[in-house]
Amino acid sequence: MKRFLLATVALAALSAPAAAADLATKYPVKAVAVVPVFSWTGFYIGGNFGYGGDKFTLDEVNTYYGDYYSAESRSVNSSGFFVGGQIGYNYQFANNVVLGLETDLQWTNIEGKYSENYATYYGYTSTFNAGASVDYFGTIRARLGYAFDRFLPYITGGAAYGKTALNINSSYYGQGSEAWGVSGSSTKWGWTVGAGVEYAITNNWTFKTEYLYVDLGSTDFSYFGNYCCGGGVNYNDIYSGSVDTKFHTLKAGVNYKF
């Protein structure tokens, strides 16, 4: 019996180090993949296309020398497509607020035309034609948004500029005929405000849609007319007024983020 107990103790002593070694063995742990968080910080460049329009408001005053005075206001519907490009920079803060600066330039055929034929007091025929257009426009804007990972809604606003053109002509058919008017173009500055959404398709390519309201102010004009009617009496007219250039735009575009 004593020999059996000694043998059991010896066997236990020999087994203890082996068991401890087994307990100390480290088993492999599966690594957890870290998904990188998308950031909107960086420069970008891109292109866009869209559609715009509203109304050109034409206010005109007609003064007959010492005889008659009239004032008219006409609203000319405007519409057209545009295409262009943009470049900008975004910075995303730790709280996901995104602040950016963007400038763009669009070539467009937004225009409106007005035509009128009417009879004068003496029963003679007169015509009036007016056309206004925007040849190109651009903006320099700040953008403020909040990033939901790859989805970025934002508001935007800043300065706007563009080349506006005006063409007005009147004609008179009675005892003889006369035609007069004014045409020209100029670069105007104004303001713009809007909102949009942008989505990052990949880490470099993004897609956006954007609405902007553009106000390029007004263009003043004046011209002189002379015609003969009523027993050969010459009537001298001075026409003066202004055209307001305001329009809405909706566009879609893509950006490449560096």
Side-chain angles (χ1 to χ4, degrees):
M1 183 66 180
K2 188 180 293 185
R3 290 181 180 179
F4 177 75
L5 291 175
L6 291 174
T8 302
V9 172
L11 181 60
L14 292 174
S15 301
D22 291 337
L23 290 175
T25 302
K26 295 182 179 179
Y27 292 94
V29 178
K30 186 177 181 180
V32 178
V34 178
V35 179
V37 178
F38 180 80
S39 173
W40 289 91
T41 297
F43 288 96
Y44 61 88
I45 189 171
N48 68 82
F49 69 94
Y51 185 81
D54 188 20
K55 294 179 183 295
F56 293 125
T57 302
L58 173 65
D59 297 317
E60 185 180 65
V61 173
N62 180 7
T63 303
Y64 296 168
Y65 280 172
D67 183 38
Y68 184 70
Y69 170 89
S70 67
E72 294 185 78
S73 180
R74 302 175 175 91
S75 291
V76 183
N77 292 327
S78 64
S79 61
F81 292 92
F82 60 85
V83 62
Q86 66 274 345
I87 186 171
Y89 178 81
N90 289 320
Y91 182 82
Q92 181 172 337
F93 294 90
N95 60 358
N96 293 332
V97 171
V98 178
L99 182 63
L101 181 66
E102 179 175 297
T103 181
D104 59 14
L105 181 62
Q106 323 293 337
W107 288 266
T108 178
N109 65 349
I110 296 176
E111 64 177 350
K113 295 182 178 180
Y114 179 90
S115 182
E116 180 181 5
N117 297 315
Y118 56 94
T120 67
Y121 177 79
Y122 297 99
Y124 305 134
T125 301
S126 290
T127 63
F128 177 83
N129 300 289
S133 63
V134 180
D135 295 335
Y136 66 80
F137 70 94
T139 67
I140 304 171
R141 297 175 283 115
R143 301 202 314 170
L144 177 63
Y146 187 86
F148 297 90
D149 193 19
R150 293 177 175 269
F151 181 70
L152 177 66
Y154 62 88
I155 57 175
T156 183
Y161 61 93
K163 182 181 180 182
T164 62
L166 174 66
N167 181 41
I168 298 177
N169 63 80
S170 297
S171 60
Y172 165 81
Y173 302 94
Q175 295 179 349
S177 63
E178 298 286 344
W180 55 92
V182 63
S183 63
S185 62
S186 61
T187 300
K188 308 295 294 185
W189 281 86
W191 57 272
T192 182
V193 66
V197 292
E198 192 166 359
Y199 180 76
I201 304 171
T202 68
N203 288 339
N204 298 106
W205 289 100
T206 68
F207 173 81
K208 74 171 185 176
T209 59
E210 185 178 79
Y211 162 80
L212 289 179
Y213 176 75
V214 180
D215 185 342
L216 294 179
S218 61
T219 301
D220 297 328
F221 65 87
S222 63
Y223 58 97
F224 177 82
N226 176 276
Y227 63 90
C228 173
C229 63
V233 179
N234 286 325
Y235 285 81
N236 300 299
D237 300 348
I238 296 177
Y239 297 85
S240 60
S242 62
V243 177
D244 288 336
T245 304
K246 304 173 183 178
F247 52 93
H248 305 268
T249 70
L250 184 63
K251 64 183 174 183
V254 293
N255 287 322
Y256 182 82
K257 175 179 169 295
F258 296 96

